Amino acid sequence: MKITKTSISRLKSTDFSNLPFGTVFSDHMLICNFKDGKWGPAEILPYGPISISPGSKVLHYGQSVFEGMKAFKNSNNEVLLFRKEENYKRINRSAVRLSIPEIPEDIFMNGLDELLSLDNEWCKADEGYSLYIRPFIFASSEGVKASASEEYTFMIITSPSTKYYEGEMNVVVEEHFTRAPKGGVGSAKAAGNYAASFYPTKQANAKGFQQLIWTDSIEHKYIEESGTMNIWFRVGDKLVTPELSDSILGGITRESILTLAKNNGIKVEQRKILVSEVVEGIKSGIIIEVFGTGTAVTVNPINSITFRDEKLVIPTIEYSYAIKLKQELQGIQKGKLEDKLGWTSKVVSKVSLS
Ligand code: COI
């Protein structure tokens, strides 16, 4: 792999005590192009602007998919990637749905290893830090005919991060707009899903809510996700989360929490969840915890749910499943707890750099 190192690292001039999520990028990026029916060689370059044609299909038709993944530093100063195989499988599932050619495994995996080895100092070992990794593929053919592109660009950029959300999480049930329709691309990590969520989210923000609860596109009766997170309800001693469908993104954190909960003897149900059931459950006190999961947030408690004009506050409890499962997940991610499930892998470079 061709690697061009930056001549001026931004590492020393970066303020690691102030990292609003996704705003600071590490020194290097990976780029690889698909042309004439095949993926070419990947290359690592200093992070910086790229040149694309104004006629690039991604700009007109949004043919683009991405991933969100995280790396952590353990106490031996080694960089650990969390469940990279799952992100690899998911970017290709998303790619297939968006008519994008799948990325070969060696490009994705070696690309991560080399990029993260080179920028390993951007991944801090201190408590609360991780390196957020954003692999993405976009349509780069020039032409405004509404058809799948013939050329694509795959890139990986990384961003040192701390918290995604600050403060309370008060959410409102959305009964008009929808994140993803049945038969649509909701289960793919398609860029357009996020673009479509911004307008309804802004309206909710203006009313003082941090996020929305997305409901199904047909009746707005069933709960799907919250903001960019999968959502969970603790009903007594059981955890309940919406079952996956073509309008729900299958989170890797969701799947990890399902596994950890089961291994802790917590009963878990994946099923359709009615909005009315949640409203009544919070009022009657059967629902004692609500939280969201996602790569960026890990596990995030939800403090209140507003349905129509009624704000239902979820009181904080002493023995919280969200806190327990988050601590266990983060312990594995940072190499502090034994990784019995083989979820982490060390970043190892195969290239000797001068
Ligand atoms: C994630 O949490 O997995 C995400 O990709 C969130 C992102 C849209 C910032």
Side-chain angles (χ1 to χ4, degrees):
M1 185 182 307
K2 186 171 173 212
I3 298 179
T4 310
K5 279 169 73 173
T6 181
S7 52
I8 319 156
S9 169
R10 284 173 285 104
L11 196 57
K12 296 232 157 52
S13 57
T14 298
D15 179 3
F16 279 81
S17 67
N18 178 28
L19 292 173
F21 183 86
T23 55
V24 173
F25 294 96
S26 316
D27 278 333
H28 298 90
M29 61 186 190
L30 178 126
I31 190 160
C32 178
N33 292 309
F34 181 92
K35 208 178 167 179
D36 300 326
K38 57 181 191 302
W39 286 101
E43 183 178 351
I44 291 179
L45 297 168
Y47 179 90
I50 52 169
S51 154
I52 58 171
S53 152
S56 282
K57 292 223 178 190
V58 66
L59 300 177
H60 304 274
Y61 304 117
Q63 197 191 1
S64 174
V65 295
F66 71 95
E67 266 309 313
M69 49 197 300
K70 271 185 178 168
F72 302 82
K73 248 236 182 109
N74 67 15
S75 53
N76 296 331
N77 227 22
E78 293 164 318
V79 179
L80 299 180
L81 269 163
F82 183 69
R83 305 196 74 178
K84 61 180 181 183
E85 299 78 13
E86 297 306 313
N87 293 96
Y88 172 66
K89 285 187 227 158
R90 191 171 65 182
I91 199 168
N92 277 344
R93 283 200 302 275
S94 301
V96 168
R97 179 62 185 86
L98 271 288
S99 200
I100 292 173
E102 292 170 73
I103 191 86
E105 190 164 359
D106 61 325
I107 294 180
F108 189 89
M109 298 300 180
N110 296 340
L112 283 172
D113 272 341
E114 298 313 328
L115 187 63
L116 268 68
S117 297
L118 195 56
D119 280 341
N120 79 84
E121 284 184 70
W122 290 85
C123 186
K124 297 286 173 200
D126 308 74
E127 203 49 47
Y129 283 89
S130 64
L131 189 66
Y132 183 78
I133 306 163
R134 173 55 63 91
F136 57 106
I137 315 175
F138 61 89
S140 43
S141 281
E142 194 172 34
V144 292
K145 181 171 180 226
S147 60
S149 180
E150 295 195 336
E151 295 176 8
Y152 296 87
T153 301
F154 169 63
M155 297 190 70
I156 310 178
I157 55 176
T158 69
S159 172
S161 74
T162 52
K163 278 192 175 153
Y164 190 77
Y165 291 118
E166 291 287 348
E168 283 207 353
M169 172 64 70
N170 298 298
V171 302
V172 61
V173 177
E174 175 59 61
E175 290 188 279
H176 174 71
F177 294 108
T178 206
R179 189 191 83 92
K182 296 285 159 214
V185 295
S187 62
K189 223 163 160 59
N193 286 337
Y194 296 80
S197 75
F198 297 156
Y199 177 71
T201 305
K202 254 193 181 173
Q203 292 199 332
N205 294 157
K207 292 183 193 143
F209 302 105
Q210 282 70 48
Q211 273 299 345
L212 300 167
I213 287 189
W214 300 107
T215 52
D216 71 279
S217 61
I218 298 169
E219 298 173 284
H220 295 290
K221 264 177 36 186
Y222 294 98
I223 290 187
E224 300 218 306
E225 295 186 23
S226 182
T228 61
M229 307 182 289
N230 292 115
I231 188 165
W232 300 74
F233 301 91
R234 175 171 170 189
V235 187
D237 282 339
K238 189 169 61 185
L239 278 179
V240 187
T241 191
E243 66 188 12
L244 297 182
S245 70
D246 62 0
S247 54
I248 296 182
L249 186 83
I252 292 157
T253 311
R254 176 189 180 278
E255 208 277 317
S256 306
I257 292 293
L258 272 174
T259 304
L260 293 181
K262 284 185 200 157
N263 291 354
N264 274 281
I266 300 169
K267 211 170 157 222
V268 185
E269 263 178 31
Q270 301 178 66
R271 60 169 170 85
K272 286 185 164 226
I273 303 171
L274 281 165
V275 174
S276 57
E277 180 189 344
V278 166
V279 170
E280 281 151 31
I282 299 175
K283 281 188 188 166
S284 72
I286 301 178
I287 295 184
I288 51 176
E289 255 192 288
V290 185
F291 58 92
T293 57
T295 299
V297 298
T298 316
V299 179
N300 203 93
I302 291 178
N303 304 90
S304 76
I305 296 180
T306 295
F307 179 59
R308 299 189 179 153
D309 286 325
E310 194 173 6
K311 180 173 178 178
L312 306 157
V313 176
I314 301 117
T316 22
I317 53 166
E318 214 173 295
Y319 180 69
S320 155
Y321 282 178
I323 293 176
K324 178 176 174 35
L325 294 169
K326 180 178 185 173
Q327 281 171 348
E328 195 170 330
L329 180 62
Q330 289 183 328
I332 298 169
Q333 289 177 323
K334 280 192 86 77
K336 287 184 182 166
L337 294 179
E338 192 193 342
D339 179 15
K340 293 184 193 143
L341 296 153
W343 282 348
T344 58
S345 48
K346 283 180 199 161
V347 163
V348 188
S349 167
K350 294 190 187 67
V351 176
S352 58
L353 286 170
S354 50

